[in-house]
Amino acid sequence: MAAVRHRQVEANGISMHVAEAGPEDASAPAVLFVHGFPELWYSWRHQMGYLAARGYRCVAPDLRGYGGTTAPPEASSYTAFHIVGDLVALLDALRLQQVFVVGHDWGAIVSWNLCLLRPDRVRALVNLSVAFMPRRPGVKPLEYFRAAYGDDYYVCRFQEPGVEAEFTTFDLKSFFKLALTVRTVGSSSMNLRKMRAYKKEIELPSWLSEEDVSYLASVYAKTGFAGGINYYRCLDLYIWLTCVHRNWELMALWTGAKVQVPTKFIVGDGDLSYHLPGVKSYVHKGGLKRDVPMLEEVVVIKGAGHFIQQEKAQEISEHIYDYIKKFETGVSTLQVSKL
């Protein structure tokens, strides 16, 4: 792994913890990594090392509400406008006019919206796990999830006031071991009651170490989970932007808008999000290509689950590099042989 630099950056009225690797000069092409839940910048450690060794400046913030970044208490402070605004302001603060973007899970949703709202700041996109879904005024995500999986589904349960307090009853190391390795779908996925009752010894897979789990547990022990859960509380607004009338009106201009950024989409065949009703058909039968006209490639990785950039670290790093390098002729390849 390359050396990782850490600092706080003031952006969009909050303080953002940012991890960086690779060259610091402005001439180096930059990659912005956007993490999901329950994660941190740390999820990108493998890709940062790989791309830094190949001449890329890697920038991986803790998103609003996570880790070392400011966590406003109000759920209303976690809309698409806030999170995309944070990233644009971060790029401005770092004087990065245009970047490659790599997103995963909620970070993929954020990245789709960044490309939708500010395509001028994105050179190309590699998104993992969560496909783009267009604004649909007649269908709210929570209604969709309740109809498919019931009120006990974690996305629905996260709407309950005070549910974040339930995480204080967990041994956080055990929680992260379960959360990062779960392969169930439907109402059983991320079920806090079932996870709390789970008593079997969890054998870690080769891609996840005790050190990794300890790092996540130590950070979340300090911050709690409220910030990440607030993304789910803005879910109707966040994915299809139809949560409240005012925001629905504000986003009406983007109804039917396409993601006009060169794109590669990667998902594991065992990913929970890949098995949501309708997703496979949307991805493979023209829906995704219709809404993302510059989609160049869809990759389904056999045997991979949801946390694909960690589980298949080398393979994902290679996929990212193979895609973005064709947009950047100025990246030095000599650095690879030196490291």
Side-chain angles (χ1 to χ4, degrees):
M1 287 183 61
V4 176
R5 307 179 296 273
H6 296 269
R7 58 166 156 163
Q8 295 295 128
V9 177
E10 301 300 314
N12 200 27
I14 64 173
S15 178
M16 299 188 73
H17 167 242
V18 181
E20 295 182 86
E24 299 182 58
D25 59 282
S27 62
V31 183
L32 176 67
F33 292 96
V34 192
H35 71 80
F37 176 89
E39 300 178 87
L40 301 164
W41 74 270
Y42 188 77
S43 294
W44 300 110
R45 60 198 180 279
H46 304 296
Q47 288 71 40
M48 292 174 72
Y50 186 94
L51 291 175
R54 286 154 178 80
Y56 290 86
R57 180 180 177 182
C58 299
V59 179
D62 285 338
L63 294 181
R64 171 183 293 239
Y66 288 91
T69 294
T70 302
E74 308 85 5
S76 59
S77 295
Y78 292 81
T79 70
F81 303 106
H82 290 89
I83 312 304
V84 170
D86 293 345
L87 295 182
V88 172
L90 174 62
L91 297 183
D92 289 343
L94 298 179
R95 299 183 179 181
L96 296 173
Q97 183 58 37
Q98 199 173 54
V99 294
F100 297 107
V101 176
V102 181
H104 170 258
D105 187 73
W106 270 105
I109 299 171
V110 173
S111 298
W112 290 123
N113 283 314
L114 172 62
C115 293
L116 186 68
L117 300 175
R118 291 301 305 269
D120 58 306
R121 305 306 295 266
V122 183
R123 196 165 191 175
L125 170 69
V126 180
N127 248 353
L128 313 179
S129 296
V130 179
F132 176 72
M133 294 296 284
R135 181 181 186 268
R136 296 175 179 173
V139 182
K140 293 183 178 181
L142 287 178
E143 295 172 355
Y144 162 83
F145 285 123
R146 283 196 173 100
Y149 300 125
D151 290 336
D152 205 38
Y153 187 54
Y154 78 98
V155 173
C156 302
R157 284 219 62 224
F158 281 2
Q159 310 306 312
E160 298 174 12
V163 68
E164 55 267 40
E166 293 188 25
F167 287 91
T168 63
T169 65
F170 276 98
D171 173 87
L172 288 183
K173 288 185 179 181
S174 296
F175 168 77
F176 280 107
K177 288 178 181 181
L178 279 170
L180 295 178
T181 59
V182 65
R183 288 297 186 98
T184 57
V185 297
S187 60
S188 293
S189 62
M190 196 71 75
N191 186 303
L192 298 184
R193 297 186 182 100
K194 292 181 179 179
M195 292 174 75
R196 191 182 300 106
Y198 192 89
K199 300 301 181 183
K200 296 180 181 179
E201 183 67 25
I202 303 166
E203 184 177 347
L204 291 179
S206 60
W207 55 269
L208 187 66
S209 70
E210 289 287 347
E211 182 182 6
D212 298 333
V213 172
S214 294
Y215 178 81
L216 291 169
S218 66
V219 174
Y220 275 84
K222 297 176 183 176
T223 65
F225 288 76
I229 289 174
N230 278 333
Y231 285 67
Y232 292 89
R233 289 170 176 157
C234 281
L235 187 64
D236 283 348
L237 169 65
Y238 210 87
I239 297 182
W240 286 292
L241 310 175
T242 60
C243 183
V244 293
H245 185 62
R246 182 169 180 268
N247 281 295
W248 182 85
E249 288 181 338
L250 289 172
M251 288 304 300
L253 181 62
W254 283 272
T255 301
K258 312 295 184 183
V259 174
Q260 300 286 358
V261 170
T263 301
K264 180 174 185 173
F265 179 65
I266 307 172
V267 65
D269 67 354
D271 194 318
L272 308 180
S273 60
Y274 187 54
H275 291 276
L276 292 173
V279 169
K280 287 184 181 180
S281 177
Y282 174 75
V283 169
H284 298 294
K285 294 185 178 181
L288 183 59
K289 178 65 175 178
R290 177 195 64 225
D291 296 327
V292 187
M294 300 177 74
L295 176 70
E296 298 185 22
E297 189 177 1
V298 172
V299 178
V300 180
I301 297 182
K302 293 183 178 181
H306 183 63
F307 297 95
I308 193 170
Q309 78 273 45
Q310 299 179 73
E311 184 177 347
K312 301 289 184 179
Q314 180 71 16
E315 191 170 352
I316 294 301
S317 297
E318 291 172 354
H319 272 296
I320 295 169
Y321 176 62
D322 288 344
Y323 185 65
I324 68 175
K325 70 179 180 182
K326 67 181 182 180
F327 298 94
E328 182 50 65
T329 58
V331 177
S332 172
T333 57
L334 295 177
Q335 296 189 48
V336 178
S337 62
K338 295 179 181 178
L339 298 175

